[in-house]
Amino acid sequence: MQYQETTLRQMSSAAFGMLGSMDIAYIRKVEDEGDITYGIFAANGEKLGDESSADVAMVVARQNDFEAFLVN
């Protein structure tokens, strides 16, 4: 356990941001020119897609093997 903590503390911000990027996604409201969609983003911030509702975005993320979270 101590090895893991030491390794995490020594990671760069970019490397830390990549942790979980292939397993975790977050969903948030996106407003673009008056249109509101719900973006699906990887843990590192990469945009993976847009859906018309938060519920649909959660389902799509989970169907693609992501653990999905809704954020404000």
Side-chain angles (χ1 to χ4, degrees):
M1 183 71 144
Q2 186 177 15
Y3 170 77
Q4 291 173 338
E5 290 176 17
T6 301
T7 301
L8 289 174
R9 291 180 196 277
Q10 295 174 353
M11 293 178 82
S12 69
S13 297
F16 189 75
M18 291 301 293
L19 277 179
S21 64
M22 298 307 295
D23 300 317
I24 299 171
Y26 64 93
I27 312 300
R28 70 175 172 87
K29 187 187 298 187
V30 177
E31 190 170 341
D32 185 27
E33 297 179 13
D35 293 332
I36 295 176
T37 60
Y38 290 84
I40 305 169
F41 297 86
N44 66 357
E46 178 184 356
K47 191 169 187 177
L48 303 173
D50 283 309
E51 295 297 335
S52 59
S53 74
D55 291 336
V56 172
M58 292 288 282
V59 169
V60 169
R62 289 183 177 147
Q63 285 177 337
N64 286 281
D65 298 325
F66 285 99
E67 184 67 34
F69 300 92
L70 184 62
V71 297
N72 294 330

Short mmCIF file of all heavy atoms in Angstrom, two decimals:
data_model
loop_
_atom_site.label_atom_id
_atom_site.label_comp_id
_atom_site.label_asym_id
_atom_site.label_seq_id
_atom_site.Cartn_x
_atom_site.Cartn_y
_atom_site.Cartn_z
N MET A 1 0.83 -1.20 0.00
CA MET A 1 0.00 0.00 0.00
C MET A 1 0.87 1.26 0.00
O MET A 1 0.58 2.20 -0.71
CB MET A 1 -0.94 -0.04 1.20
CG MET A 1 -1.89 1.11 1.26
SD MET A 1 -3.13 0.95 -0.04
CE MET A 1 -4.51 1.58 0.79
N GLN A 2 1.92 1.27 0.78
CA GLN A 2 2.78 2.45 0.85
C GLN A 2 3.44 2.72 -0.50
O GLN A 2 3.57 3.86 -0.91
CB GLN A 2 3.84 2.26 1.93
CG GLN A 2 4.67 3.51 2.16
CD GLN A 2 5.66 3.35 3.28
OE1 GLN A 2 5.94 2.24 3.72
NE2 GLN A 2 6.21 4.44 3.75
N TYR A 3 3.81 1.65 -1.22
CA TYR A 3 4.40 1.81 -2.55
C TYR A 3 3.42 2.52 -3.48
O TYR A 3 3.80 3.43 -4.21
CB TYR A 3 4.79 0.44 -3.12
CG TYR A 3 5.18 0.51 -4.58
CD1 TYR A 3 6.43 1.00 -4.94
CD2 TYR A 3 4.31 0.12 -5.58
CE1 TYR A 3 6.79 1.08 -6.27
CE2 TYR A 3 4.66 0.19 -6.90
CZ TYR A 3 5.90 0.67 -7.25
OH TYR A 3 6.24 0.76 -8.56
N GLN A 4 2.16 2.12 -3.44
CA GLN A 4 1.16 2.74 -4.29
C GLN A 4 0.98 4.21 -3.96
O GLN A 4 0.87 5.05 -4.86
CB GLN A 4 -0.18 2.01 -4.16
CG GLN A 4 -0.16 0.63 -4.74
CD GLN A 4 -1.44 -0.14 -4.45
OE1 GLN A 4 -2.14 0.18 -3.51
NE2 GLN A 4 -1.71 -1.15 -5.24
N GLU A 5 0.94 4.57 -2.69
CA GLU A 5 0.80 5.97 -2.29
C GLU A 5 1.99 6.79 -2.76
O GLU A 5 1.82 7.90 -3.28
CB GLU A 5 0.66 6.07 -0.77
CG GLU A 5 -0.65 5.55 -0.25
CD GLU A 5 -0.75 5.57 1.26
OE1 GLU A 5 0.05 6.29 1.90
OE2 GLU A 5 -1.61 4.87 1.80
N THR A 6 3.19 6.26 -2.62
CA THR A 6 4.40 6.96 -3.06
C THR A 6 4.37 7.15 -4.57
O THR A 6 4.68 8.23 -5.07
CB THR A 6 5.66 6.17 -2.64
OG1 THR A 6 5.65 6.02 -1.22
CG2 THR A 6 6.92 6.89 -3.07
N THR A 7 3.97 6.13 -5.29
CA THR A 7 3.90 6.22 -6.75
C THR A 7 2.90 7.28 -7.18
O THR A 7 3.18 8.09 -8.06
CB THR A 7 3.51 4.85 -7.35
OG1 THR A 7 4.49 3.89 -6.96
CG2 THR A 7 3.44 4.91 -8.86
N LEU A 8 1.72 7.31 -6.55
CA LEU A 8 0.71 8.31 -6.91
C LEU A 8 1.19 9.73 -6.62
O LEU A 8 0.93 10.64 -7.40
CB LEU A 8 -0.60 8.04 -6.14
CG LEU A 8 -1.38 6.81 -6.59
CD1 LEU A 8 -2.56 6.59 -5.67
CD2 LEU A 8 -1.84 6.94 -8.02
N ARG A 9 1.89 9.92 -5.54
CA ARG A 9 2.38 11.27 -5.19
C ARG A 9 3.44 11.76 -6.17
O ARG A 9 3.62 12.96 -6.34
CB ARG A 9 2.94 11.28 -3.77
CG ARG A 9 1.89 11.10 -2.71
CD ARG A 9 2.50 11.12 -1.32
NE ARG A 9 1.61 10.60 -0.34
CZ ARG A 9 0.64 11.26 0.25
NH1 ARG A 9 0.42 12.51 -0.08
NH2 ARG A 9 -0.13 10.70 1.16
N GLN A 10 4.14 10.86 -6.81
CA GLN A 10 5.22 11.24 -7.73
C GLN A 10 4.77 11.35 -9.18
O GLN A 10 5.54 11.74 -10.04
CB GLN A 10 6.37 10.23 -7.63
CG GLN A 10 7.04 10.23 -6.28
CD GLN A 10 8.06 9.13 -6.14
OE1 GLN A 10 8.21 8.28 -7.00
NE2 GLN A 10 8.79 9.14 -5.03
N MET A 11 3.52 11.05 -9.44
CA MET A 11 3.01 11.12 -10.81
C MET A 11 2.83 12.55 -11.27
O MET A 11 2.47 13.42 -10.48
CB MET A 11 1.65 10.40 -10.91
CG MET A 11 1.72 8.92 -10.70
SD MET A 11 0.08 8.18 -10.79
CE MET A 11 -0.09 8.04 -12.56
N SER A 12 3.05 12.78 -12.55
CA SER A 12 2.77 14.10 -13.12
C SER A 12 1.26 14.31 -13.19
O SER A 12 0.49 13.36 -13.11
CB SER A 12 3.37 14.20 -14.52
OG SER A 12 2.66 13.36 -15.41
N SER A 13 0.85 15.55 -13.35
CA SER A 13 -0.58 15.85 -13.48
C SER A 13 -1.19 15.14 -14.67
O SER A 13 -2.32 14.64 -14.61
CB SER A 13 -0.80 17.36 -13.62
OG SER A 13 -0.36 18.02 -12.46
N ALA A 14 -0.46 15.09 -15.77
CA ALA A 14 -0.96 14.43 -16.99
C ALA A 14 -1.13 12.93 -16.76
O ALA A 14 -2.15 12.36 -17.14
CB ALA A 14 -0.02 14.68 -18.15
N ALA A 15 -0.15 12.31 -16.13
CA ALA A 15 -0.25 10.87 -15.85
C ALA A 15 -1.38 10.58 -14.88
O ALA A 15 -2.12 9.61 -15.03
CB ALA A 15 1.08 10.35 -15.31
N PHE A 16 -1.52 11.43 -13.88
CA PHE A 16 -2.60 11.25 -12.90
C PHE A 16 -3.96 11.38 -13.59
O PHE A 16 -4.88 10.63 -13.29
CB PHE A 16 -2.48 12.27 -11.77
CG PHE A 16 -3.42 12.02 -10.63
CD1 PHE A 16 -3.17 10.99 -9.74
CD2 PHE A 16 -4.54 12.80 -10.44
CE1 PHE A 16 -4.04 10.74 -8.69
CE2 PHE A 16 -5.41 12.57 -9.40
CZ PHE A 16 -5.15 11.53 -8.51
N GLY A 17 -4.08 12.31 -14.53
CA GLY A 17 -5.32 12.49 -15.27
C GLY A 17 -5.69 11.30 -16.12
O GLY A 17 -6.86 11.07 -16.41
N MET A 18 -4.70 10.52 -16.52
CA MET A 18 -4.95 9.34 -17.34
C MET A 18 -5.45 8.15 -16.52
O MET A 18 -6.02 7.22 -17.06
CB MET A 18 -3.69 8.94 -18.10
CG MET A 18 -3.28 9.92 -19.18
SD MET A 18 -4.53 10.17 -20.44
CE MET A 18 -4.54 8.57 -21.22
N LEU A 19 -5.25 8.20 -15.20
CA LEU A 19 -5.72 7.10 -14.36
C LEU A 19 -7.22 6.94 -14.51
O LEU A 19 -7.98 7.89 -14.35
CB LEU A 19 -5.41 7.38 -12.88
CG LEU A 19 -4.03 7.06 -12.38
CD1 LEU A 19 -3.92 7.42 -10.90
CD2 LEU A 19 -3.68 5.61 -12.59
N GLY A 20 -7.65 5.79 -14.82
CA GLY A 20 -9.07 5.53 -14.95
C GLY A 20 -9.71 6.07 -16.21
O GLY A 20 -10.91 5.93 -16.39
N SER A 21 -8.92 6.67 -17.09
CA SER A 21 -9.52 7.29 -18.28
C SER A 21 -10.19 6.28 -19.20
O SER A 21 -11.06 6.64 -19.98
CB SER A 21 -8.49 8.10 -19.05
OG SER A 21 -7.48 7.27 -19.57
N MET A 22 -9.83 5.02 -19.09
CA MET A 22 -10.45 4.00 -19.92
C MET A 22 -11.57 3.27 -19.18
O MET A 22 -12.22 2.41 -19.76
CB MET A 22 -9.40 2.99 -20.40
CG MET A 22 -8.31 3.63 -21.26
SD MET A 22 -8.93 4.61 -22.64
CE MET A 22 -9.71 3.37 -23.62
N ASP A 23 -11.81 3.63 -17.92
CA ASP A 23 -12.81 2.94 -17.11
C ASP A 23 -13.90 3.87 -16.59
O ASP A 23 -15.00 3.42 -16.28
CB ASP A 23 -12.15 2.27 -15.90
CG ASP A 23 -11.11 1.25 -16.30
OD1 ASP A 23 -11.37 0.49 -17.24
OD2 ASP A 23 -10.04 1.23 -15.67
N ILE A 24 -13.59 5.14 -16.46
CA ILE A 24 -14.50 6.08 -15.81
C ILE A 24 -14.90 7.17 -16.79
O ILE A 24 -14.06 7.70 -17.52
CB ILE A 24 -13.82 6.72 -14.58
CG1 ILE A 24 -13.46 5.64 -13.56
CG2 ILE A 24 -14.73 7.77 -13.96
CD1 ILE A 24 -12.61 6.14 -12.42
N ALA A 25 -16.18 7.50 -16.79
CA ALA A 25 -16.68 8.61 -17.61
C ALA A 25 -17.56 9.50 -16.74
O ALA A 25 -18.15 9.04 -15.77
CB ALA A 25 -17.48 8.10 -18.79
N TYR A 26 -17.59 10.77 -17.09
CA TYR A 26 -18.52 11.66 -16.40
C TYR A 26 -19.42 12.32 -17.43
O TYR A 26 -19.05 12.52 -18.58
CB TYR A 26 -17.80 12.66 -15.50
CG TYR A 26 -16.90 13.65 -16.19
CD1 TYR A 26 -17.37 14.89 -16.58
CD2 TYR A 26 -15.55 13.36 -16.42
CE1 TYR A 26 -16.54 15.81 -17.21
CE2 TYR A 26 -14.72 14.27 -17.02
CZ TYR A 26 -15.21 15.50 -17.41
OH TYR A 26 -14.39 16.41 -18.03
N ILE A 27 -20.63 12.62 -16.98
CA ILE A 27 -21.66 13.22 -17.82
C ILE A 27 -21.93 14.62 -17.27
O ILE A 27 -22.11 14.80 -16.07
CB ILE A 27 -22.98 12.41 -17.74
CG1 ILE A 27 -22.75 10.90 -17.91
CG2 ILE A 27 -24.01 12.97 -18.70
CD1 ILE A 27 -22.14 10.47 -19.18
N ARG A 28 -21.94 15.61 -18.15
CA ARG A 28 -22.30 16.96 -17.71
C ARG A 28 -23.04 17.69 -18.81
O ARG A 28 -22.91 17.40 -19.99
CB ARG A 28 -21.09 17.75 -17.25
CG ARG A 28 -20.12 18.16 -18.32
CD ARG A 28 -19.01 19.05 -17.72
NE ARG A 28 -17.97 19.30 -18.67
CZ ARG A 28 -17.99 20.30 -19.56
NH1 ARG A 28 -19.01 21.13 -19.59
NH2 ARG A 28 -17.00 20.46 -20.40
N LYS A 29 -23.85 18.66 -18.37
CA LYS A 29 -24.63 19.47 -19.30
C LYS A 29 -23.68 20.37 -20.10
O LYS A 29 -22.77 20.98 -19.55
CB LYS A 29 -25.62 20.35 -18.52
CG LYS A 29 -26.59 21.10 -19.41
CD LYS A 29 -27.45 22.08 -18.64
CE LYS A 29 -28.32 21.41 -17.63
NZ LYS A 29 -29.27 22.35 -16.99
N VAL A 30 -23.93 20.43 -21.41
CA VAL A 30 -23.14 21.25 -22.32
C VAL A 30 -24.09 22.16 -23.08
O VAL A 30 -25.06 21.68 -23.66
CB VAL A 30 -22.34 20.38 -23.31
CG1 VAL A 30 -21.58 21.25 -24.29
CG2 VAL A 30 -21.41 19.42 -22.58
N GLU A 31 -23.81 23.45 -23.06
CA GLU A 31 -24.64 24.40 -23.80
C GLU A 31 -23.82 24.97 -24.94
O GLU A 31 -22.73 25.50 -24.73
CB GLU A 31 -25.12 25.52 -22.88
CG GLU A 31 -26.17 26.39 -23.52
CD GLU A 31 -26.81 27.35 -22.54
OE1 GLU A 31 -26.73 27.12 -21.34
OE2 GLU A 31 -27.39 28.34 -23.02
N ASP A 32 -24.33 24.83 -26.15
CA ASP A 32 -23.63 25.30 -27.34
C ASP A 32 -24.62 26.03 -28.23
O ASP A 32 -25.53 25.41 -28.79
CB ASP A 32 -22.99 24.13 -28.08
CG ASP A 32 -22.14 24.57 -29.26
OD1 ASP A 32 -21.61 25.70 -29.23
OD2 ASP A 32 -22.00 23.77 -30.21
N GLU A 33 -24.45 27.33 -28.36
CA GLU A 33 -25.32 28.17 -29.20
C GLU A 33 -26.79 27.97 -28.86
O GLU A 33 -27.65 27.84 -29.74
CB GLU A 33 -25.05 27.90 -30.68
CG GLU A 33 -23.64 28.24 -31.11
CD GLU A 33 -23.40 27.94 -32.58
OE1 GLU A 33 -24.37 27.70 -33.32
OE2 GLU A 33 -22.23 27.96 -32.98
N GLY A 34 -27.10 27.91 -27.58
CA GLY A 34 -28.47 27.77 -27.12
C GLY A 34 -28.99 26.35 -27.04
O GLY A 34 -30.03 26.11 -26.45
N ASP A 35 -28.29 25.42 -27.64
CA ASP A 35 -28.69 24.01 -27.56
C ASP A 35 -28.07 23.38 -26.32
O ASP A 35 -26.90 23.58 -26.02
CB ASP A 35 -28.21 23.23 -28.79
CG ASP A 35 -28.91 23.66 -30.06
OD1 ASP A 35 -30.06 24.13 -29.97
OD2 ASP A 35 -28.30 23.53 -31.14
N ILE A 36 -28.85 22.58 -25.61
CA ILE A 36 -28.35 21.88 -24.43
C ILE A 36 -28.28 20.40 -24.73
O ILE A 36 -29.26 19.80 -25.17
CB ILE A 36 -29.24 22.13 -23.21
CG1 ILE A 36 -29.19 23.61 -22.84
CG2 ILE A 36 -28.82 21.26 -22.03
CD1 ILE A 36 -30.09 24.01 -21.70
N THR A 37 -27.11 19.82 -24.54
CA THR A 37 -26.90 18.38 -24.66
C THR A 37 -26.18 17.93 -23.40
O THR A 37 -25.81 18.73 -22.56
CB THR A 37 -26.07 18.02 -25.91
OG1 THR A 37 -24.79 18.65 -25.81
CG2 THR A 37 -26.76 18.45 -27.19
N TYR A 38 -25.97 16.65 -23.30
CA TYR A 38 -25.24 16.08 -22.18
C TYR A 38 -24.02 15.37 -22.74
O TYR A 38 -24.13 14.37 -23.46
CB TYR A 38 -26.14 15.14 -21.37
CG TYR A 38 -27.17 15.93 -20.63
CD1 TYR A 38 -28.35 16.32 -21.25
CD2 TYR A 38 -26.93 16.37 -19.34
CE1 TYR A 38 -29.29 17.10 -20.60
CE2 TYR A 38 -27.86 17.16 -18.67
CZ TYR A 38 -29.03 17.52 -19.31
OH TYR A 38 -29.94 18.31 -18.66
N GLY A 39 -22.85 15.94 -22.43
CA GLY A 39 -21.60 15.39 -22.94
C GLY A 39 -21.13 14.23 -22.10
O GLY A 39 -21.29 14.21 -20.88
N ILE A 40 -20.52 13.27 -22.76
CA ILE A 40 -19.88 12.14 -22.11
C ILE A 40 -18.38 12.38 -22.23
O ILE A 40 -17.87 12.55 -23.34
CB ILE A 40 -20.26 10.80 -22.77
CG1 ILE A 40 -21.78 10.64 -22.81
CG2 ILE A 40 -19.58 9.64 -22.06
CD1 ILE A 40 -22.25 9.49 -23.68
N PHE A 41 -17.69 12.40 -21.10
CA PHE A 41 -16.27 12.71 -21.07
C PHE A 41 -15.51 11.60 -20.36
O PHE A 41 -15.97 11.07 -19.34
CB PHE A 41 -16.02 14.02 -20.33
CG PHE A 41 -16.64 15.21 -20.99
CD1 PHE A 41 -17.95 15.56 -20.73
CD2 PHE A 41 -15.91 15.99 -21.87
CE1 PHE A 41 -18.54 16.66 -21.34
CE2 PHE A 41 -16.50 17.09 -22.49
CZ PHE A 41 -17.81 17.42 -22.23
N ALA A 42 -14.32 11.26 -20.87
CA ALA A 42 -13.44 10.32 -20.18
C ALA A 42 -12.88 11.01 -18.95
O ALA A 42 -12.94 12.24 -18.83
CB ALA A 42 -12.31 9.89 -21.11
N ALA A 43 -12.31 10.24 -18.05
CA ALA A 43 -11.77 10.79 -16.81
C ALA A 43 -10.71 11.86 -17.07
O ALA A 43 -10.55 12.80 -16.29
CB ALA A 43 -11.19 9.68 -15.94
N ASN A 44 -10.00 11.77 -18.19
CA ASN A 44 -8.96 12.75 -18.50
C ASN A 44 -9.51 14.00 -19.20
O ASN A 44 -8.76 14.87 -19.59
CB ASN A 44 -7.86 12.11 -19.36
CG ASN A 44 -8.33 11.68 -20.73
OD1 ASN A 44 -9.51 11.81 -21.07
ND2 ASN A 44 -7.41 11.17 -21.51
N GLY A 45 -10.83 14.08 -19.38
CA GLY A 45 -11.46 15.25 -19.98
C GLY A 45 -11.75 15.14 -21.46
O GLY A 45 -12.39 16.02 -22.03
N GLU A 46 -11.30 14.07 -22.09
CA GLU A 46 -11.55 13.88 -23.53
C GLU A 46 -13.05 13.67 -23.76
O GLU A 46 -13.68 12.84 -23.12
CB GLU A 46 -10.78 12.67 -24.04
CG GLU A 46 -11.02 12.39 -25.49
CD GLU A 46 -10.32 11.11 -25.96
OE1 GLU A 46 -9.59 10.49 -25.18
OE2 GLU A 46 -10.54 10.75 -27.13
N LYS A 47 -13.61 14.44 -24.68
CA LYS A 47 -15.02 14.31 -24.99
C LYS A 47 -15.25 13.07 -25.85
O LYS A 47 -14.62 12.90 -26.89
CB LYS A 47 -15.54 15.54 -25.70
CG LYS A 47 -17.05 15.58 -25.82
CD LYS A 47 -17.54 16.91 -26.29
CE LYS A 47 -19.05 16.97 -26.22
NZ LYS A 47 -19.55 18.28 -26.62
N LEU A 48 -16.18 12.23 -25.39
CA LEU A 48 -16.46 10.98 -26.08
C LEU A 48 -17.74 11.04 -26.90
O LEU A 48 -17.91 10.26 -27.83
CB LEU A 48 -16.56 9.84 -25.06
CG LEU A 48 -15.34 9.62 -24.18
CD1 LEU A 48 -15.63 8.58 -23.11
CD2 LEU A 48 -14.14 9.23 -25.03
N GLY A 49 -18.64 11.94 -26.53
CA GLY A 49 -19.89 12.03 -27.27
C GLY A 49 -20.89 12.94 -26.61
O GLY A 49 -20.63 13.51 -25.55
N ASP A 50 -22.04 13.12 -27.26
CA ASP A 50 -23.14 13.94 -26.77
C ASP A 50 -24.42 13.15 -26.88
O ASP A 50 -24.60 12.38 -27.83
CB ASP A 50 -23.32 15.20 -27.62
CG ASP A 50 -22.31 16.26 -27.33
OD1 ASP A 50 -22.14 16.61 -26.14
OD2 ASP A 50 -21.70 16.77 -28.28
N GLU A 51 -25.32 13.37 -25.94
CA GLU A 51 -26.65 12.77 -26.00
C GLU A 51 -27.68 13.82 -25.63
O GLU A 51 -27.35 14.86 -25.05
CB GLU A 51 -26.75 11.56 -25.06
CG GLU A 51 -25.86 10.40 -25.46
CD GLU A 51 -26.19 9.80 -26.81
OE1 GLU A 51 -27.35 9.92 -27.26
OE2 GLU A 51 -25.29 9.20 -27.42
N SER A 52 -28.93 13.53 -25.92
CA SER A 52 -30.01 14.50 -25.71
C SER A 52 -30.44 14.62 -24.26
O SER A 52 -31.04 15.63 -23.88
CB SER A 52 -31.21 14.13 -26.58
OG SER A 52 -31.66 12.84 -26.24
N SER A 53 -30.16 13.62 -23.44
CA SER A 53 -30.53 13.68 -22.02
C SER A 53 -29.46 13.02 -21.18
O SER A 53 -28.68 12.19 -21.67
CB SER A 53 -31.88 13.00 -21.77
OG SER A 53 -31.75 11.60 -21.83
N ALA A 54 -29.46 13.36 -19.90
CA ALA A 54 -28.49 12.77 -18.98
C ALA A 54 -28.71 11.27 -18.85
O ALA A 54 -27.75 10.49 -18.79
CB ALA A 54 -28.59 13.45 -17.62
N ASP A 55 -29.98 10.85 -18.82
CA ASP A 55 -30.28 9.42 -18.70
C ASP A 55 -29.74 8.63 -19.88
O ASP A 55 -29.15 7.56 -19.71
CB ASP A 55 -31.78 9.20 -18.57
CG ASP A 55 -32.34 9.69 -17.25
OD1 ASP A 55 -31.57 9.78 -16.26
OD2 ASP A 55 -33.55 9.97 -17.19
N VAL A 56 -29.94 9.15 -21.08
CA VAL A 56 -29.44 8.46 -22.28
C VAL A 56 -27.92 8.42 -22.26
O VAL A 56 -27.30 7.40 -22.57
CB VAL A 56 -29.98 9.12 -23.56
CG1 VAL A 56 -29.31 8.54 -24.80
CG2 VAL A 56 -31.48 8.98 -23.65
N ALA A 57 -27.29 9.53 -21.86
CA ALA A 57 -25.83 9.58 -21.79
C ALA A 57 -25.29 8.54 -20.80
O ALA A 57 -24.28 7.88 -21.08
CB ALA A 57 -25.37 10.98 -21.40
N MET A 58 -25.95 8.38 -19.66
CA MET A 58 -25.53 7.38 -18.67
C MET A 58 -25.63 5.98 -19.25
O MET A 58 -24.71 5.17 -19.10
CB MET A 58 -26.39 7.49 -17.41
CG MET A 58 -26.20 8.75 -16.62
SD MET A 58 -24.64 8.83 -15.75
CE MET A 58 -25.00 7.77 -14.37
N VAL A 59 -26.72 5.69 -19.94
CA VAL A 59 -26.91 4.36 -20.54
C VAL A 59 -25.85 4.10 -21.59
O VAL A 59 -25.23 3.03 -21.62
CB VAL A 59 -28.33 4.22 -21.12
CG1 VAL A 59 -28.44 2.97 -21.98
CG2 VAL A 59 -29.37 4.21 -20.02
N VAL A 60 -25.60 5.07 -22.45
CA VAL A 60 -24.60 4.90 -23.52
C VAL A 60 -23.22 4.67 -22.91
O VAL A 60 -22.47 3.78 -23.35
CB VAL A 60 -24.60 6.12 -24.47
CG1 VAL A 60 -23.40 6.10 -25.39
CG2 VAL A 60 -25.89 6.16 -25.27
N ALA A 61 -22.87 5.44 -21.90
CA ALA A 61 -21.56 5.27 -21.25
C ALA A 61 -21.44 3.87 -20.65
O ALA A 61 -20.42 3.19 -20.83
CB ALA A 61 -21.36 6.34 -20.19
N ARG A 62 -22.46 3.43 -19.96
CA ARG A 62 -22.42 2.11 -19.33
C ARG A 62 -22.42 0.98 -20.36
O ARG A 62 -21.78 -0.05 -20.17
CB ARG A 62 -23.57 1.95 -18.35
CG ARG A 62 -23.34 2.83 -17.13
CD ARG A 62 -24.41 2.68 -16.10
NE ARG A 62 -24.07 3.49 -14.94
CZ ARG A 62 -24.96 4.08 -14.17
NH1 ARG A 62 -26.25 3.94 -14.42
NH2 ARG A 62 -24.57 4.80 -13.14
N GLN A 63 -23.11 1.18 -21.49
CA GLN A 63 -23.09 0.17 -22.55
C GLN A 63 -21.71 0.04 -23.17
O GLN A 63 -21.39 -0.98 -23.77
CB GLN A 63 -24.10 0.52 -23.65
CG GLN A 63 -25.53 0.27 -23.26
CD GLN A 63 -26.50 0.68 -24.34
OE1 GLN A 63 -26.20 1.52 -25.20
NE2 GLN A 63 -27.70 0.11 -24.30
N ASN A 64 -20.90 1.08 -23.01
CA ASN A 64 -19.53 1.05 -23.53
C ASN A 64 -18.51 0.76 -22.43
O ASN A 64 -17.34 1.14 -22.52
CB ASN A 64 -19.22 2.38 -24.24
CG ASN A 64 -19.91 2.44 -25.57
OD1 ASN A 64 -19.46 1.86 -26.54
ND2 ASN A 64 -21.07 3.12 -25.62
N ASP A 65 -18.99 0.10 -21.38
CA ASP A 65 -18.13 -0.39 -20.29
C ASP A 65 -17.45 0.70 -19.46
O ASP A 65 -16.37 0.47 -18.91
CB ASP A 65 -17.08 -1.38 -20.83
CG ASP A 65 -17.73 -2.60 -21.44
OD1 ASP A 65 -18.78 -3.04 -20.92
OD2 ASP A 65 -17.19 -3.12 -22.44
N PHE A 66 -18.06 1.85 -19.37
CA PHE A 66 -17.57 2.91 -18.49
C PHE A 66 -18.39 2.92 -17.20
O PHE A 66 -19.60 2.67 -17.23
CB PHE A 66 -17.69 4.29 -19.13
CG PHE A 66 -16.68 4.56 -20.19
CD1 PHE A 66 -17.00 4.41 -21.53
CD2 PHE A 66 -15.40 4.97 -19.87
CE1 PHE A 66 -16.08 4.65 -22.52
CE2 PHE A 66 -14.46 5.22 -20.85
CZ PHE A 66 -14.80 5.06 -22.18
N GLU A 67 -17.74 3.21 -16.09
CA GLU A 67 -18.45 3.53 -14.86
C GLU A 67 -18.79 5.01 -14.98
O GLU A 67 -17.89 5.84 -15.07
CB GLU A 67 -17.55 3.26 -13.65
CG GLU A 67 -18.23 3.47 -12.33
CD GLU A 67 -19.34 2.45 -12.06
OE1 GLU A 67 -19.22 1.29 -12.48
OE2 GLU A 67 -20.33 2.86 -11.43
N ALA A 68 -20.05 5.35 -15.06
CA ALA A 68 -20.46 6.72 -15.38
C ALA A 68 -20.99 7.47 -14.15
O ALA A 68 -21.64 6.89 -13.29
CB ALA A 68 -21.54 6.69 -16.46
N PHE A 69 -20.68 8.78 -14.12
CA PHE A 69 -21.09 9.66 -13.04
C PHE A 69 -21.64 10.95 -13.61
O PHE A 69 -21.06 11.50 -14.56
CB PHE A 69 -19.91 9.98 -12.12
CG PHE A 69 -19.31 8.76 -11.49
CD1 PHE A 69 -18.25 8.10 -12.10
CD2 PHE A 69 -19.81 8.25 -10.31
CE1 PHE A 69 -17.71 6.97 -11.53
CE2 PHE A 69 -19.27 7.12 -9.74
CZ PHE A 69 -18.22 6.48 -10.35
N LEU A 70 -22.70 11.45 -13.06
CA LEU A 70 -23.30 12.72 -13.47
C LEU A 70 -22.69 13.82 -12.61
O LEU A 70 -22.69 13.72 -11.38
CB LEU A 70 -24.81 12.68 -13.29
CG LEU A 70 -25.60 13.89 -13.76
CD1 LEU A 70 -25.42 14.11 -15.26
CD2 LEU A 70 -27.07 13.71 -13.43
N VAL A 71 -22.14 14.86 -13.22
CA VAL A 71 -21.54 15.98 -12.49
C VAL A 71 -22.21 17.27 -12.93
O VAL A 71 -22.80 17.37 -14.00
CB VAL A 71 -20.02 16.07 -12.70
CG1 VAL A 71 -19.32 14.84 -12.18
CG2 VAL A 71 -19.66 16.29 -14.16
N ASN A 72 -22.12 18.28 -12.07
CA ASN A 72 -22.69 19.61 -12.39
C ASN A 72 -21.63 20.52 -12.93
O ASN A 72 -20.54 20.56 -12.64
CB ASN A 72 -23.31 20.24 -11.15
CG ASN A 72 -24.52 19.44 -10.71
OD1 ASN A 72 -25.19 18.82 -11.52
ND2 ASN A 72 -24.81 19.47 -9.44
#
